[in-house]
Amino acid sequence: MLTDTRDHDTVDHAMQPEDTPELRALYKGFEDESLIPLWTQLGDLMPIHPKSKAVPHVWKWSALLPLAEKAGELVPVGRGGERRAIGLANPGLAPHAYISPTLWAAIQYLGPRETAPEHRHSQNAFRFVVEGEGVWTVVNGDPVRMSRGDLLLTPGWCFHGHHNDTDHPMAWIDGLDIPFSQQMDVGFFEFGSDRVTDYATPNFSRGERLWCHPGLRPLSGLQDTVASPIGAYRWEFTDRALSEQLLLEDEGQPATVAPGHAAIRYVNPTTGGDVMPTIRCEFHRLRAGTETATRNEVGSTVFQVFEGRGAVVLNGERTPLETGDMFVVPSWVPWSLQAETQFDLFRFSDAPIMEALSFMRRKVEGQV
Amino acid sequence: MLTDTRDHDTVDHAMQPEDTPELRALYKGFEDESLIPLWTQLGDLMPIHPKSKAVPHVWKWSALLPLAEKAGELVPVGRGGERRAIGLANPGLAPHAYISPTLWAAIQYLGPRETAPEHRHSQNAFRFVVEGEGVWTVVNGDPVRMSRGDLLLTPGWCFHGHHNDTDHPMAWIDGLDIPFSQQMDVGFFEFGSDRVTDYATPNFSRGERLWCHPGLRPLSGLQDTVASPIGAYRWEFTDRALSEQLLLEDEGQPATVAPGHAAIRYVNPTTGGDVMPTIRCEFHRLRAGTETATRNEVGSTVFQVFEGRGAVVLNGERTPLETGDMFVVPSWVPWSLQAETQFDLFRFSDAPIMEALSFMRRKVEGQV
Amino acid sequence: MLTDTRDHDTVDHAMQPEDTPELRALYKGFEDESLIPLWTQLGDLMPIHPKSKAVPHVWKWSALLPLAEKAGELVPVGRGGERRAIGLANPGLAPHAYISPTLWAAIQYLGPRETAPEHRHSQNAFRFVVEGEGVWTVVNGDPVRMSRGDLLLTPGWCFHGHHNDTDHPMAWIDGLDIPFSQQMDVGFFEFGSDRVTDYATPNFSRGERLWCHPGLRPLSGLQDTVASPIGAYRWEFTDRALSEQLLLEDEGQPATVAPGHAAIRYVNPTTGGDVMPTIRCEFHRLRAGTETATRNEVGSTVFQVFEGRGAVVLNGERTPLETGDMFVVPSWVPWSLQAETQFDLFRFSDAPIMEALSFMRRKVEGQV
Amino acid sequence: MLTDTRDHDTVDHAMQPEDTPELRALYKGFEDESLIPLWTQLGDLMPIHPKSKAVPHVWKWSALLPLAEKAGELVPVGRGGERRAIGLANPGLAPHAYISPTLWAAIQYLGPRETAPEHRHSQNAFRFVVEGEGVWTVVNGDPVRMSRGDLLLTPGWCFHGHHNDTDHPMAWIDGLDIPFSQQMDVGFFEFGSDRVTDYATPNFSRGERLWCHPGLRPLSGLQDTVASPIGAYRWEFTDRALSEQLLLEDEGQPATVAPGHAAIRYVNPTTGGDVMPTIRCEFHRLRAGTETATRNEVGSTVFQVFEGRGAVVLNGERTPLETGDMFVVPSWVPWSLQAETQFDLFRFSDAPIMEALSFMRRKVEGQV
């Protein structure tokens, strides 16, 4: 009965026409003309709320890192394969290496003295470093140091390559909008230098030296850009921003996003908006003992634990988490975080897409 | 050789590692942990330029309409199936009824005195009427007449149903962002009244009466809206706008978008921007004998011939067109139009998505 | 006592220092060095709320028009004086011909077959026609008919001249941002042709033919412009828009800005915003018997009665009004309208300045 | 002759009507009805280019500071007079204490242990500290340290008071949009506490602790604000930003605005735009020996030398400058700077007004 289904999660197909030879002939006619009727597919096409084929999933750093190290032994890096990157493949989206319908996440590994050659593509990319140091990524010719806790940007169509300046390997995570780009057919790609164009290893990139002065904008950079001109968001600043929020909370001042929950968004200083047109990046710090309200959001998001111990509750199921662990929350899947110790997490999501196209909706437990 | 492929259309995988037991063990480890390496997939994930699985395709109105009429006999319309709509399914995107990766297009058919019940959904929708009259679509309680040449909007989350006030059937085309919504997991759906909420049949909807006065905005409507408040863009105005452009061209004035080529975009009067966040609608008129420059564009677009005879050249292949014929141009497929008679075409596309996310690129033959 | 004055309208200077020879020497020192102390001027510089030197004032059309006609006899029009325009000079702003601190309003008069030569200036200008016809204003070479009820735009730096194509004279009102431009030092001026560049007398200007199709934008005009590309807003459309609002109100639909009060804003179709960067134009229609709520607004506004009889209450003082009468409301002066018959009024103001710079405030009787 | 004047700087009144009794009667009629004809005033109202009544002028710190110190002895600070601020009065704008038609600049002086009471006003304000320390300004309850080289903001309608926590006096400069506010009638004023609401003397204000982390935005502050949430822009950051630009220039990288000329704009981190809706603040550093191109700009600007020796050329006239000296450039007056030593200057202007209202124009020597 339709009245039974209207409050439920699926749109029932109560009125499928009777199966007759004439109907079959009609359906054959549809097929011949590359047509498909809506009435046989409506429930899938238009669910009551988003029901992603992607599933919530947790990847353990303790499993990821050894596999990356092994790949370091067996798989060369260079022109063609381009990167020794291993994608986190959402089990619901096989055979694609998509962590969600919009996002790609991978662990990338570069051995001692190795170089990943330069190329550029429409896809927006970033790297986040959960541990280690010694690699420089060269973005449009500007060498950018990669160190623990840093967020490094490679916006669409910027040339970029990486090289390891040390005798020890380094691993980090990559985030891109590859699934969006591939499904929406927007991607261009171009090879660059087989080596990086500048092997210098400065502490600070030119982008940082021009742009990382709080509230100050160079007069030579008054034109707004769609992606941030800051190539590296340093851990030192992120850590201090979060610490100050918790200190202000201790002083009784408004500063945190919820009690015990400090958070910053990485932004494009030319606009105050997201760092790249498709990807939002944030960092969250929970005091020990804090639990966040359960929330549902349109769009997908990925977290990596940076430090501390805690858990995520996804669709009611709790999974313990420790440093380096990653998880994905597909669209409209309810989630919350629990902090056992002080709990630091890097987060990225496709929220800029959802907001730009007016599809964003949020539901927070206990809020109307 | 890599040097051979760099100027070509695909990214070659020149550097796949040697197949060894160790490598197989590594790949098995990836599989166990829901991981997929980038280096085995890069060419597909990151093509040199967009290469859609969608193919260019033409549907003949002379084939579509009889099938819709037959469906009118065999398939009831009502709660559950909701709409007697038959989707144009891109042969490259089977088994989905997607005309492109972002867009849905269908022919919808409503028999004499029938009602399609009310519902609402996040997906943005419009209807365009290539012939006929007699149906009113009721959008958020506002009855909107549907007549030949009219563009009717149903922006996301507006309740809407249709009823045929006459003794003859009527067919039209629907355009929605269903494929985008489904793949990106953004859709919500809610049933409304089993009948339309207002069976009045006014000539002009309340939205038109408030908003369709050129350059005038009601003081009761100063808040900008993400979708246009105009429910119906009447053929009379479209036709006149195009005629004036050609007359101005005759007078030697700048008015057309190219010689012999008049065109308008339907816009949201509160912003001057696109009618809905994901869908652009335009109407093009070519003088007899005009050929447009070949162009490539990121994103997909659909045309329906409204009047006249001509042809489309898709990827170099020419297909004659007449009234009602529809075709899709996937991302970056080169296309041009040729007008045998005065040639009127309705067009819709996903360009607002591509522009909002900074993925738009265009290449026009003869321009740098 | 300070405690007495804090709730009042002025900032008292309770703490002026004692007048001593030393203080006089100090003040002399200030004078010698082009300095003025704040503490002697604060009350004027920073009032409790805006207290304009401009006063509310009403000009009667029955007095204006005969003087303009007389000027038509005695004063030639041509290069140098440029225009036979007579400014409405706010009595509080003498000796300037400013109707308010930002706005200029004048009655302009052109005799049979006369031409006012072309020039251009940074100042934004419009004309509104309360009665008559027969003049064309030529704006950047586009001849624009001027008829009763029309609003005609001449945005900053557009060349413009006028010519009377008939054997009878014509008068209208001009509105400009001359006082703002002069006080803020922003104006440039350039002479053009001594005659208008095109003596054609088309019914519709090219701007109208391209742009006056509701909800439609020419593809040749996708670049937003700071001023409206519509040169003429015709009375026919304004009248119909207002009539429809009142009819919708009769039908119980939301449409008017307040009961019995229909109103439209003239807008730039490329943005939905004001027609020019500094001047807002609106048209208001009150049903017979309607009284508006008393309101205070930052910035100044000018009205001209177009048709009907009623009154304005300015600072509590009621003045009867009839066709052609004009009045100014300086910043924060309370005002309301009373309609004896159906009462049509054209309005312009500097609200875009106040809003762009975040100085706008409004207070409406009976609203919090 | 008109032909003589058209290329010159004034609009001539070649066509004044003959002086007759009838004309006098007409002019008397105008006067009686509060009317003023345009043709007698056009040259003043609409100059060929901006011709400010304000004049370029230089104030010497060596003259300002002793007068401020003397005022410290003779004039109390407190409720009523509110501030011991001495306005730099442009000689062309007497009797007003306006440094330009839009801007106010003053030297403010606070003796040991003194408090300037709290109030708020629509006018936007900032302070810049050329030397000294020891005062805290309390803005909406947030104590903000004032030290050498810092820019401190008090955007419109924020409560603010100051107190000197030391046994030595302190002087600084204030910049406000008082002339704009007064002439445009936009100002509101409200008294606050007679003492500041918080006498704490923290090194960093709460606003800085939340917002001064480069590229990071607190999740508790995602709503954009019309004025910057940063209360203090510290010299340490400004100095470093300028130094880095010159170092990058030494390395052959694009970074400076012109050779030898480093410059930053202070911005609102929520938008990347100006710190307040009406006032732009910048800091410029010239290498010894650098001369800037001569430029004309619409709108007025004020400079204060922070450090070094050099000169300004205003309308062709050169004036030597040293630490603390201030000068004003009225609209369209040509100016350039010459650096004898490394030359540091703080600058503020009304450019946000000119740009928001589309009146900005610039002319730079040697550029087209």
Side-chain angles (χ1 to χ4, degrees):
Chain A
M1 294 303 303
L2 271 175
T3 37
D4 289 337
T5 64
R6 291 188 199 179
D7 294 326
H8 290 72
D9 273 5
T10 37
V11 181
D12 196 12
H13 312 296
M15 301 185 72
Q16 294 304 330
E18 199 187 345
D19 186 1
T20 64
E22 260 194 311
L23 187 74
R24 290 188 189 185
L26 178 64
Y27 283 14
K28 178 64 168 54
F30 289 163
E31 204 182 322
D32 292 346
E33 297 294 337
S34 295
L35 298 170
I36 299 177
L38 173 65
W39 56 85
T40 61
Q41 302 202 324
L42 182 62
D44 286 340
L45 288 175
M46 291 196 165
I48 295 296
H49 61 69
K51 276 188 233 309
S52 189
K53 285 188 287 184
V55 295
H57 193 78
V58 179
W59 288 259
K60 300 295 291 178
W61 192 244
S62 57
L64 292 181
L65 189 58
L67 287 164
E69 287 165 347
K70 192 71 186 171
E73 291 172 28
L74 301 181
V75 181
V77 70
R79 191 87 291 165
E82 300 289 308
R83 298 290 182 263
R84 193 188 289 111
I86 308 159
L88 281 62
N90 192 297
L93 299 176
H96 299 294
Y98 298 167
I99 198 165
S100 85
T102 51
L103 298 172
W104 162 277
I107 179 170
Q108 187 170 159
Y109 187 89
L110 206 56
R113 307 293 164 189
E114 281 188 333
T115 291
E118 293 195 352
H119 60 215
R120 65 176 174 178
H121 41 67
S122 307
Q123 290 83 358
N124 296 286
F126 71 83
R127 320 179 193 293
F128 179 75
V129 182
V130 71
E131 58 180 25
E133 61 183 356
V135 169
W136 270 252
T137 177
V138 182
V139 181
N140 278 347
D142 188 11
V144 184
R145 173 175 54 91
M146 297 174 63
S147 301
R148 180 175 173 274
D150 296 344
L151 170 69
L152 302 318
L153 299 189
T154 315
W157 215 237
C158 293
F159 275 115
H160 56 285
H162 322 305
H163 74 99
N164 187 337
D165 189 58
T166 72
D167 294 323
H168 51 81
M170 184 177 169
W172 63 86
I173 66 161
D174 288 342
L176 292 94
D177 51 17
I178 289 175
F180 180 87
S181 300
Q182 193 184 29
Q183 294 183 91
M184 298 297 118
D185 296 324
V186 303
F188 292 79
F189 183 97
E190 190 177 327
F191 288 105
S193 165
D194 284 0
R195 305 280 291 160
V196 295
T197 43
D198 188 340
Y199 276 87
T201 56
N203 256 327
F204 297 103
S205 61
R206 297 195 294 265
E208 289 167 86
R209 291 165 65 192
L210 260 181
W211 283 97
C212 283
H213 311 282
L216 307 183
R217 186 169 181 165
L219 248 65
S220 54
L222 292 181
Q223 197 79 35
D224 289 354
T225 50
V226 296
S228 175
I230 298 179
Y233 293 78
R234 298 293 170 196
W235 172 241
E236 168 195 3
F237 297 127
T238 305
D239 183 38
R240 192 182 305 155
L242 298 165
S243 299
E244 289 287 3
Q245 288 186 19
L246 293 179
L247 287 169
L248 283 163
E249 188 182 71
D250 286 338
E251 299 168 21
Q253 298 295 339
T256 52
V257 68
H261 183 173
I264 57 90
R265 184 172 296 168
Y266 301 92
V267 295
N268 175 350
T270 74
T271 62
D274 283 298
V275 285
M276 298 187 292
T278 53
I279 301 181
R280 173 164 297 165
C281 295
E282 295 180 350
F283 203 103
H284 293 252
R285 172 171 292 172
L286 302 178
R287 290 184 198 270
T290 302
E291 287 193 38
T292 69
T294 298
R295 70 181 55 221
N296 301 51
E297 291 163 321
V298 166
S300 51
T301 186
V302 176
F303 286 82
Q304 183 177 36
V305 176
F306 181 66
E307 200 165 18
R309 279 193 325 278
V312 61
V313 183
L314 288 161
N315 248 342
E317 187 174 336
R318 184 181 185 282
T319 307
L321 297 170
E322 56 197 351
T323 297
D325 291 353
M326 299 180 68
F327 63 90
V328 61
V329 189
S331 191
W332 215 243
V333 168
W335 64 277
S336 64
L337 293 169
Q338 301 173 345
E340 194 174 333
T341 64
Q342 178 167 301
F343 200 30
D344 276 8
L345 301 101
F346 173 75
R347 179 189 189 182
F348 67 102
S349 76
D350 59 12
I353 299 175
M354 303 306 151
E355 290 177 3
L357 305 178
S358 296
F359 284 124
M360 182 51 86
R361 286 201 200 186
R362 293 185 176 86
K363 190 171 74 175
V364 182
E365 175 199 14
Q367 294 180 13
V368 186
Chain B
M1 294 304 301
L2 273 177
T3 38
D4 289 337
T5 64
R6 291 188 200 178
D7 294 325
H8 290 73
D9 274 5
T10 36
V11 180
D12 196 12
H13 312 295
M15 302 186 73
Q16 293 305 328
E18 198 188 345
D19 186 0
T20 64
E22 261 192 310
L23 187 75
R24 290 191 189 182
L26 177 65
Y27 283 14
K28 178 64 169 54
F30 288 163
E31 202 182 324
D32 292 347
E33 296 294 337
S34 295
L35 299 170
I36 299 177
L38 174 65
W39 57 85
T40 62
Q41 302 202 326
L42 182 62
D44 286 339
L45 288 175
M46 290 195 162
I48 294 297
H49 60 69
K51 276 188 232 308
S52 190
K53 284 187 288 183
V55 296
H57 192 78
V58 179
W59 287 260
K60 300 295 292 178
W61 191 245
S62 58
L64 291 181
L65 190 59
L67 287 165
E69 288 166 347
K70 193 70 185 173
E73 290 172 30
L74 300 180
V75 181
V77 70
R79 190 86 294 162
E82 301 289 310
R83 299 289 184 263
R84 193 188 289 111
I86 307 158
L88 280 62
N90 192 297
L93 298 176
H96 299 293
Y98 300 166
I99 197 164
S100 85
T102 52
L103 298 172
W104 162 276
I107 178 169
Q108 187 169 161
Y109 186 90
L110 206 57
R113 307 294 166 190
E114 281 188 332
T115 292
E118 293 194 353
H119 59 214
R120 66 175 172 178
H121 40 68
S122 307
Q123 289 83 357
N124 297 285
F126 72 81
R127 321 181 190 293
F128 179 75
V129 182
V130 71
E131 60 182 24
E133 62 182 355
V135 169
W136 270 253
T137 179
V138 183
V139 181
N140 277 347
D142 187 10
V144 183
R145 173 175 54 91
M146 296 174 63
S147 301
R148 179 177 173 276
D150 295 344
L151 170 69
L152 302 317
L153 299 188
T154 316
W157 215 237
C158 293
F159 275 115
H160 56 284
H162 322 305
H163 73 99
N164 187 336
D165 190 58
T166 73
D167 294 324
H168 52 82
M170 183 175 169
W172 64 85
I173 65 160
D174 288 341
L176 292 95
D177 52 17
I178 289 176
F180 181 87
S181 300
Q182 194 184 29
Q183 294 181 92
M184 298 297 118
D185 297 324
V186 304
F188 292 80
F189 182 96
E190 190 177 326
F191 288 105
S193 165
D194 284 1
R195 305 280 289 161
V196 296
T197 44
D198 188 339
Y199 277 88
T201 56
N203 256 328
F204 297 102
S205 60
R206 298 195 295 266
E208 289 167 87
R209 291 165 66 193
L210 261 181
W211 283 98
C212 283
H213 311 283
L216 308 183
R217 186 169 182 166
L219 249 64
S220 54
L222 293 181
Q223 197 79 35
D224 290 353
T225 51
V226 296
S228 175
I230 298 178
Y233 293 78
R234 298 294 171 197
W235 171 242
E236 168 195 3
F237 298 126
T238 306
D239 183 37
R240 192 181 307 156
L242 297 165
S243 300
E244 289 288 2
Q245 287 185 20
L246 293 179
L247 286 169
L248 283 163
E249 188 182 69
D250 287 337
E251 298 168 22
Q253 297 295 339
T256 52
V257 68
H261 182 174
I264 57 89
R265 184 172 295 169
Y266 301 92
V267 294
N268 174 351
T270 74
T271 62
D274 284 298
V275 287
M276 298 187 292
T278 52
I279 301 180
R280 172 164 297 166
C281 294
E282 296 180 349
F283 202 102
H284 292 251
R285 172 171 291 173
L286 302 179
R287 290 183 198 270
T290 303
E291 287 193 38
T292 68
T294 298
R295 68 181 57 220
N296 301 50
E297 291 162 322
V298 167
S300 51
T301 185
V302 176
F303 286 82
Q304 183 177 35
V305 176
F306 181 66
E307 202 165 15
R309 278 193 326 278
V312 61
V313 183
L314 289 160
N315 248 342
E317 187 173 337
R318 185 181 185 281
T319 307
L321 298 170
E322 58 198 347
T323 297
D325 291 353
M326 298 179 70
F327 63 90
V328 62
V329 189
S331 190
W332 215 241
V333 168
W335 64 277
S336 64
L337 293 169
Q338 301 174 345
E340 194 174 335
T341 66
Q342 177 166 301
F343 200 32
D344 277 8
L345 300 103
F346 172 76
R347 178 188 189 184
F348 66 102
S349 76
D350 59 10
I353 299 174
M354 302 308 151
E355 291 177 2
L357 305 178
S358 297
F359 284 124
M360 181 53 85
R361 288 201 200 185
R362 292 185 176 85
K363 189 171 73 176
V364 183
E365 175 199 12
Q367 294 180 13
V368 184
Chain C
M1 293 303 303
L2 273 175
T3 38
D4 289 338
T5 64
R6 292 189 199 178
D7 295 324
H8 290 72
D9 273 5
T10 36
V11 181
D12 196 12
H13 313 296
M15 301 185 74
Q16 294 304 331
E18 199 187 343
D19 186 0
T20 64
E22 262 193 308
L23 187 74
R24 289 189 189 182
L26 178 65
Y27 282 14
K28 178 63 169 54
F30 289 163
E31 204 183 322
D32 292 347
E33 297 293 336
S34 295
L35 299 171
I36 299 179
L38 174 65
W39 56 85
T40 63
Q41 301 201 327
L42 183 63
D44 286 339
L45 289 175
M46 291 197 162
I48 295 296
H49 60 69
K51 275 189 233 309
S52 189
K53 285 187 288 184
V55 295
H57 193 78
V58 179
W59 288 260
K60 300 295 292 177
W61 191 244
S62 57
L64 292 181
L65 189 58
L67 287 165
E69 287 166 346
K70 192 71 187 171
E73 291 172 29
L74 301 182
V75 181
V77 70
R79 190 84 296 162
E82 300 289 307
R83 298 292 182 262
R84 192 187 290 110
I86 307 159
L88 282 62
N90 193 297
L93 299 177
H96 300 293
Y98 300 167
I99 198 165
S100 84
T102 52
L103 298 171
W104 162 277
I107 179 169
Q108 187 169 160
Y109 187 89
L110 206 56
R113 307 294 165 189
E114 281 187 333
T115 292
E118 293 194 352
H119 60 213
R120 66 177 173 177
H121 40 67
S122 307
Q123 290 84 357
N124 297 286
F126 71 83
R127 323 185 188 291
F128 179 75
V129 182
V130 72
E131 60 182 23
E133 61 183 356
V135 169
W136 270 253
T137 178
V138 183
V139 181
N140 278 347
D142 187 10
V144 184
R145 173 177 54 91
M146 296 175 63
S147 301
R148 181 177 172 275
D150 295 344
L151 170 69
L152 302 317
L153 299 189
T154 315
W157 215 236
C158 292
F159 274 115
H160 56 285
H162 323 305
H163 73 101
N164 187 337
D165 189 59
T166 74
D167 295 323
H168 51 81
M170 183 176 170
W172 63 85
I173 65 161
D174 289 341
L176 292 94
D177 51 17
I178 288 175
F180 181 87
S181 300
Q182 194 183 29
Q183 294 182 92
M184 299 297 118
D185 296 323
V186 304
F188 292 80
F189 183 96
E190 190 176 328
F191 288 105
S193 164
D194 283 1
R195 304 282 289 161
V196 296
T197 44
D198 187 341
Y199 276 87
T201 57
N203 257 327
F204 296 102
S205 60
R206 299 195 294 265
E208 289 168 86
R209 292 166 65 194
L210 261 181
W211 283 98
C212 283
H213 311 283
L216 308 182
R217 186 169 181 166
L219 248 65
S220 54
L222 293 182
Q223 197 78 34
D224 289 354
T225 50
V226 296
S228 175
I230 298 178
Y233 292 78
R234 297 294 171 198
W235 171 241
E236 168 195 3
F237 298 126
T238 306
D239 184 37
R240 192 181 306 155
L242 297 165
S243 300
E244 289 288 2
Q245 287 186 20
L246 293 178
L247 286 170
L248 283 163
E249 187 182 71
D250 286 338
E251 298 168 21
Q253 298 294 339
T256 51
V257 68
H261 183 175
I264 56 89
R265 184 172 296 169
Y266 301 91
V267 294
N268 174 350
T270 74
T271 62
D274 283 298
V275 286
M276 297 186 293
T278 52
I279 301 180
R280 172 165 297 166
C281 294
E282 295 181 349
F283 202 103
H284 293 252
R285 172 171 291 173
L286 301 178
R287 291 184 198 271
T290 303
E291 287 192 38
T292 69
T294 298
R295 67 181 58 219
N296 301 51
E297 291 162 321
V298 166
S300 51
T301 186
V302 176
F303 286 81
Q304 183 177 36
V305 176
F306 181 67
E307 200 165 18
R309 277 193 326 278
V312 61
V313 183
L314 289 160
N315 248 342
E317 187 174 335
R318 185 181 185 281
T319 307
L321 298 169
E322 56 198 349
T323 296
D325 291 353
M326 299 179 69
F327 63 89
V328 62
V329 189
S331 190
W332 214 243
V333 168
W335 63 277
S336 64
L337 293 169
Q338 300 174 346
E340 195 174 333
T341 64
Q342 177 167 303
F343 200 31
D344 277 8
L345 300 103
F346 172 76
R347 179 189 188 183
F348 67 102
S349 76
D350 59 10
I353 299 174
M354 303 307 150
E355 291 177 3
L357 305 179
S358 296
F359 284 124
M360 181 52 86
R361 288 200 198 186
R362 292 185 177 85
K363 189 172 73 175
V364 182
E365 175 199 13
Q367 294 180 13
V368 185
Chain D
M1 293 301 300
L2 273 176
T3 37
D4 289 337
T5 65
R6 289 187 200 182
D7 294 325
H8 290 72
D9 272 6
T10 36
V11 180
D12 197 11
H13 313 296
M15 301 186 70
Q16 293 305 329
E18 197 187 347
D19 186 0
T20 65
E22 260 193 312
L23 186 75
R24 290 188 189 185
L26 178 65
Y27 283 13
K28 177 65 168 55
F30 289 163
E31 203 183 323
D32 292 346
E33 296 295 336
S34 295
L35 299 170
I36 299 178
L38 173 65
W39 57 86
T40 62
Q41 302 202 324
L42 182 62
D44 286 338
L45 289 175
M46 291 196 162
I48 295 297
H49 61 69
K51 277 187 233 309
S52 190
K53 284 187 289 183
V55 296
H57 193 79
V58 179
W59 288 260
K60 301 295 291 178
W61 192 244
S62 57
L64 291 181
L65 189 59
L67 287 164
E69 287 166 346
K70 192 71 184 171
E73 291 171 28
L74 301 181
V75 181
V77 70
R79 191 86 292 162
E82 300 289 307
R83 298 289 183 263
R84 193 187 289 112
I86 307 158
L88 281 61
N90 192 297
L93 299 176
H96 300 293
Y98 300 166
I99 198 165
S100 84
T102 52
L103 298 172
W104 162 276
I107 178 170
Q108 187 170 160
Y109 186 90
L110 206 56
R113 307 294 165 189
E114 281 188 332
T115 292
E118 293 194 351
H119 60 214
R120 65 176 174 180
H121 40 68
S122 306
Q123 290 82 359
N124 296 285
F126 72 82
R127 320 182 191 292
F128 178 74
V129 182
V130 71
E131 61 181 22
E133 62 183 354
V135 169
W136 270 252
T137 178
V138 182
V139 181
N140 278 347
D142 188 10
V144 183
R145 173 175 53 92
M146 296 174 63
S147 301
R148 180 175 173 275
D150 296 344
L151 170 69
L152 303 317
L153 300 187
T154 314
W157 215 237
C158 293
F159 274 115
H160 56 285
H162 323 304
H163 73 100
N164 186 336
D165 190 57
T166 72
D167 295 323
H168 52 81
M170 182 176 170
W172 62 86
I173 66 161
D174 288 341
L176 290 95
D177 51 18
I178 288 175
F180 181 87
S181 300
Q182 194 184 28
Q183 293 182 94
M184 299 297 118
D185 296 325
V186 303
F188 293 80
F189 183 97
E190 192 177 327
F191 288 104
S193 166
D194 284 0
R195 305 281 290 160
V196 296
T197 45
D198 189 340
Y199 277 87
T201 56
N203 256 327
F204 297 103
S205 60
R206 297 195 295 266
E208 290 168 85
R209 292 165 65 193
L210 261 181
W211 283 98
C212 283
H213 311 283
L216 308 183
R217 186 169 180 165
L219 248 64
S220 55
L222 293 182
Q223 197 78 35
D224 289 354
T225 51
V226 296
S228 174
I230 299 179
Y233 293 77
R234 297 294 171 197
W235 172 241
E236 169 194 0
F237 298 126
T238 305
D239 183 37
R240 193 181 306 156
L242 297 165
S243 299
E244 289 287 3
Q245 288 186 20
L246 293 179
L247 286 169
L248 284 162
E249 188 182 70
D250 286 338
E251 299 168 22
Q253 298 295 338
T256 52
V257 68
H261 182 174
I264 57 90
R265 184 171 296 169
Y266 301 91
V267 294
N268 174 350
T270 74
T271 62
D274 283 299
V275 286
M276 298 187 292
T278 53
I279 302 181
R280 173 164 298 166
C281 294
E282 295 180 350
F283 203 102
H284 294 251
R285 171 171 292 173
L286 302 178
R287 290 184 198 270
T290 302
E291 286 192 39
T292 69
T294 298
R295 68 180 57 219
N296 301 51
E297 291 163 322
V298 167
S300 51
T301 186
V302 176
F303 285 82
Q304 183 177 36
V305 176
F306 181 66
E307 201 166 14
R309 279 193 325 278
V312 62
V313 183
L314 289 161
N315 249 342
E317 187 173 337
R318 184 180 185 282
T319 307
L321 298 170
E322 56 198 348
T323 297
D325 291 352
M326 299 180 69
F327 63 90
V328 61
V329 189
S331 190
W332 215 242
V333 168
W335 63 277
S336 64
L337 293 170
Q338 301 174 345
E340 194 175 333
T341 65
Q342 177 167 301
F343 200 31
D344 276 8
L345 300 102
F346 172 76
R347 178 188 188 183
F348 67 102
S349 77
D350 58 11
I353 298 175
M354 303 307 150
E355 290 177 3
L357 305 178
S358 296
F359 284 123
M360 182 52 85
R361 287 201 200 186
R362 292 185 178 85
K363 189 171 74 176
V364 182
E365 176 199 12
Q367 294 181 13
V368 185

